[in-house]
Amino acid sequence: MPQPQLPRRWVHPALLAMVAVIATSGLVYELVTGTLASYVLGDSVTQFSLVIGLYLFAMGIGSYLSKFLEDRLLERFVEIELCLALAGGLSAPLLFKVYTAAAAFRFALYGVVVLVGTLVGLEIPLLIRLLQFSVDLKELVARVLTLDYVGALIASLLFPSLLLPKLGVHQTSLFFGLLNAAVAMLATFLFPLDRAVTIRLRAQCLLIFGVLAAVFGFVTRFVDRAETVYFGAPILYTAQSPYQRVVITRSPRTTRLFLNGNLQFSSDDEQRYHEVLVHPAVAALGRDPRSVLVLGGGDGLAARELLRYPSIERIVLIDLDAVVTDAFRTLPVALELNGGALNDPRVTVRNEDAYKFLEDSRDSFDLAIVDFPDPSNYAVGKLYTDAFYHLLRERLSFRGVAVVQATSPQYARESFWTIVQTLESAGWKTAPLHVYVPSFGDWGFVLAGGEELAAPGALRIEPTKLRWLESSGLPELFRFPRDIGRVEAPVNRLNDQKLVATYAREWGVFTR
């Protein structure tokens, strides 16, 4: 059956518009699903590796299946574009709904990846076959593949810098679904077709475009309602940064911060966490601290505890995510929690990578408060390595002390002691401690310093200024019962990051 030919005057704009959108949208869908997988399942390296591998495999399947399409290629191309518009455009909202309402997220995730990859794999071979009668085949293949790779580069540049922070994952996937529907509509104008076929295809394009446009307009409310149910409280604030989704909820009883769906603190009991994080370290220092480095802690709650000491002259707080620190500098509920600590003139907030800061800085500090998220992926895991702790030692003054948030010795026993072992391998003397925080369970920290470091016997602050911690309770913090006591553990090095796999294995038992 003869194929419809594209007039030569249309070749350049058709290729530029259609191939660029096809290539860009395909990679964007891949990045959207990879991002959602890393948000929900952790370990971004593993999740992106699986998503990329499955996606490319599915593209191969689609390319192979394209050879079985013999007749009515334009109709098939438009129909495939519309299927991709629906599958790719709705991928993020669909996966989010599965995540908040069901327990089959992995199945849905990899199913979406395979479906989208197969559809993308079908597109390019069909487009080449449609255009081969209008352009020399050698030139056509070179041009299509060039634009395909350029589109992939455009997507990889735009996604982290513009699409994710400005639109978020849901509206990004829907926006590119709309673009795929527009490509399908454009194709119906480029080739001569029977009038009845043209009317049917254009009606389908308009229908799917309308569906995606409606979802685009309502997706924010849909996500807010789903998150309200998922988090169990009204949502006060949401934002999407290049690194994570930030959610603050508030009920009559408590305020909570969630990053990528993981609870960071609850106002019910955060004082237990932050008082134990800060005040034993100040006591172990043995003198009034003047300069303090806070790594992480973008909510300002550790800084709030530090500012209780009149001797503090300077706090430098390093937190990668400006969305978090800006929220906790401006939101009334945040100011209520942290007492406006991030706006105190003694506090300097710098939004940069902590590892890079330690490499470049020449400042010296009396005390370091290290309050990073748990090492659930390699990007965070590097901040728990011996190389990082070597850099940290160089930033402390003579007889300086550090304290490191070290996950739960109850739920992640080997992970906790791996952090202790890693600190000791970097030349620190350690004094592990733990506290029961109702929102999290038994939670661990590690004091680290020179050979003179010892578990403190008394606080250097009046207990009346604190909400929970007392000097009399200090010895119990440093006592570890046998079921959470020290076990043999490896050193977490930058080149292998064994801690990430250990953490995933231990916490996976409780989160499946």
Side-chain angles (χ1 to χ4, degrees):
M1 177 179 180
Q3 299 299 332
Q5 295 189 31
L6 182 65
R8 281 191 174 273
R9 69 180 185 275
W10 286 100
V11 169
H12 285 67
L15 284 174
L16 287 173
M18 297 172 67
V19 179
V21 169
I22 288 170
T24 306
S25 63
L27 188 61
V28 165
Y29 298 142
E30 182 182 0
L31 292 171
V32 163
T33 51
T35 299
L36 284 170
S38 63
Y39 281 3
V40 174
L41 303 174
D43 190 356
S44 57
V45 172
T46 299
Q47 300 311 322
F48 269 100
S49 295
L50 287 172
V51 167
I52 291 170
L54 272 177
Y55 178 80
L56 293 175
F57 173 72
M59 283 184 65
I61 293 175
S63 297
Y64 176 78
L65 292 177
S66 68
K67 76 174 187 177
F68 296 105
L69 300 178
E70 297 288 350
D71 300 321
R72 303 164 68 183
L73 294 187
L74 176 60
E75 291 181 55
R76 302 290 84 81
F77 175 79
V78 172
E79 290 165 355
I80 289 168
E81 271 302 299
L82 292 177
C83 289
L84 181 62
L86 279 175
L90 296 175
S91 60
L94 172 66
L95 289 172
F96 181 78
K97 181 62 177 177
V98 172
Y99 169 55
T100 56
F105 179 80
R106 288 179 190 270
F107 178 81
L109 170 73
Y110 300 136
V112 167
V113 170
V114 170
L115 175 60
V116 170
T118 301
L119 293 171
V120 172
L122 282 164
E123 287 178 306
I124 296 298
L126 285 185
L127 188 59
I128 290 176
R129 289 165 64 185
L130 284 168
L131 296 173
Q132 66 180 324
F133 302 102
S134 304
V135 186
D136 176 71
L137 183 60
K138 181 172 66 174
E139 180 184 354
L140 174 63
V141 171
R143 191 178 301 170
V144 169
L145 293 182
T146 298
L147 288 170
D148 188 33
Y149 298 140
V150 170
L153 174 63
I154 292 171
S156 66
L157 294 175
L158 290 180
F159 186 76
S161 62
L162 180 65
L163 297 173
L164 187 59
K166 298 300 181 182
L167 291 179
V169 289
H170 304 288
Q171 289 175 317
T172 293
S173 69
L174 287 163
F175 175 74
F176 279 88
L178 290 168
L179 288 182
N180 282 125
V183 165
M185 177 66 82
L186 175 63
T188 67
F189 286 93
L190 295 180
F191 296 94
L193 284 169
D194 292 340
R195 187 168 181 273
V197 173
T198 301
I199 292 173
R200 174 177 63 80
L201 291 176
R202 290 177 184 173
Q204 291 173 347
C205 291
L206 289 173
L207 175 63
I208 290 176
F209 194 94
V211 169
L212 292 173
V215 177
F216 187 94
F218 287 99
V219 71
T220 301
R221 274 178 276 181
F222 161 76
V223 171
D224 287 345
R225 284 197 296 269
E227 284 185 329
T228 298
V229 173
Y230 177 73
F231 294 122
I235 294 175
L236 185 69
Y237 171 83
T238 62
Q240 176 67 59
S241 80
Y243 313 105
Q244 58 202 348
R245 181 161 179 80
V246 182
V247 176
I248 299 175
T249 67
R250 189 169 198 180
S251 67
R253 177 167 164 255
T254 185
T255 301
R256 293 189 172 107
L257 169 66
F258 296 86
L259 300 179
N260 289 341
N262 299 311
L263 179 65
Q264 302 302 300
F265 72 76
S266 170
S267 60
D268 282 345
D269 51 26
E270 59 82 11
Q271 70 277 3
R272 291 187 173 219
Y273 178 99
H274 291 100
E275 288 179 6
V276 172
L277 174 68
V278 170
H279 300 295
V282 175
L285 182 65
R287 63 182 188 274
D288 292 334
R290 296 184 181 276
S291 60
V292 183
L293 175 64
V294 179
L295 301 176
D299 51 36
L301 298 178
R304 176 198 67 194
E305 296 301 317
L306 288 166
L307 291 172
R308 300 188 192 279
Y309 294 90
S311 63
I312 295 288
E313 298 173 356
R314 179 177 65 128
I315 297 173
V316 177
L317 189 149
I318 309 297
D319 193 287
L320 183 62
D321 200 339
V323 169
V324 174
T325 54
D326 288 348
F328 280 86
R329 272 196 286 210
T330 57
L331 294 175
V333 66
L335 298 175
E336 179 185 331
L337 286 168
N338 64 25
L342 299 185
N343 297 315
D344 191 286
R346 292 169 287 177
V347 178
T348 300
V349 176
R350 297 175 58 171
N351 299 117
E352 57 184 287
D353 181 81
Y355 202 107
K356 188 73 166 57
F357 170 82
L358 291 183
E359 285 184 320
D360 296 341
S361 176
R362 294 298 175 263
D363 288 349
S364 180
F365 300 90
D366 300 323
L367 182 66
I369 309 295
V370 184
D371 190 20
F372 294 130
D374 279 3
S376 60
N377 59 64
Y378 292 103
V380 180
K382 73 177 183 180
L383 306 176
Y384 288 84
T385 60
D386 58 343
F388 181 83
Y389 294 141
H390 277 296
L391 291 173
L392 183 62
R393 285 191 72 196
E394 295 175 4
R395 301 278 63 80
L396 290 185
S397 59
F398 179 67
R399 292 189 177 179
V401 170
V403 61
V404 177
Q405 185 284 122
T407 196
S408 170
Q410 177 183 10
Y411 299 124
R413 185 179 182 183
E414 186 179 343
S415 298
F416 176 83
W417 293 107
T418 294
I419 295 170
V420 175
Q421 181 68 32
T422 303
L423 279 160
E424 292 174 351
S425 75
W428 299 82
K429 182 179 178 182
T430 65
L433 66 158
H434 65 114
V435 63
Y436 178 72
V437 182
S439 293
F440 300 110
D442 201 304
W443 211 259
F445 308 87
V446 187
L447 292 183
E451 287 302 319
E452 70 287 347
L453 179 75
L459 297 171
R460 294 184 65 85
I461 190 172
E462 288 294 325
T464 54
K465 294 183 179 181
L466 305 181
R467 295 169 59 191
W468 180 78
L469 188 60
E470 298 179 350
S471 291
S472 61
L474 280 177
E476 188 63 22
L477 298 179
F478 293 89
R479 190 183 74 83
F480 282 77
R482 283 181 295 174
D483 60 346
I484 60 172
R486 186 155 191 166
V487 294
E488 186 176 346
V491 173
N492 188 43
R493 303 188 190 281
L494 194 58
N495 68 319
D496 57 23
Q497 293 203 39
K498 295 179 179 178
L499 176 60
V500 175
T502 301
Y503 178 88
R505 169 173 50 80
E506 292 187 311
W507 275 104
V509 173
F510 300 95
T511 57
R512 285 197 185 109

